[in-house]
Amino acid sequence: AKTITKTGATRTMAAWNNTNALLGWNGTLGIKTGSGTEAKYCLVFAATLNGEQVMGAVLTSSSEANRTADVKKLINYGYARI
């Protein structure tokens, strides 16, 4: 994609791959994934059910699979209380 800066210059943006497998799952809007040596696998998320939002964060999961499972548990927990 090309963008125009406020000075009028044109820049070409690089494509990237989405690492958030939860986008669109059960009303999940996404937000931000992250990973690193010390932080491990993290995700800040938001999800919507019947106009109500659930938001949360999973930090220091040991794997992407565990991060995904933890987020699903938290979203379902939040939905059960809406």
Side-chain angles (χ1 to χ4, degrees):
K2 293 190 184 255
T3 59
I4 298 175
T5 67
K6 62 183 173 180
T7 63
T10 302
R11 292 189 337 193
T12 301
M13 303 300 287
W16 67 87
N17 293 323
N18 176 22
T19 61
N20 187 350
L22 291 166
L23 282 179
W25 174 83
N26 205 13
T28 304
L29 305 172
I31 304 283
K32 180 69 178 112
T33 60
S35 62
T37 305
E38 291 185 41
K40 307 221 190 273
Y41 294 90
C42 306
L43 179 82
V44 176
F45 65 89
T48 302
L49 177 69
N50 300 326
E52 298 287 334
Q53 281 198 328
V54 173
M55 296 185 294
V58 169
L59 306 172
T60 66
S61 283
S62 58
S63 69
E64 285 185 49
N66 286 344
R67 176 182 68 191
T68 298
D70 290 344
V71 170
K72 286 182 175 183
K73 288 177 193 174
L74 287 170
I75 289 171
N76 288 330
Y77 177 86
Y79 282 174
R81 278 139 187 86
I82 291 178

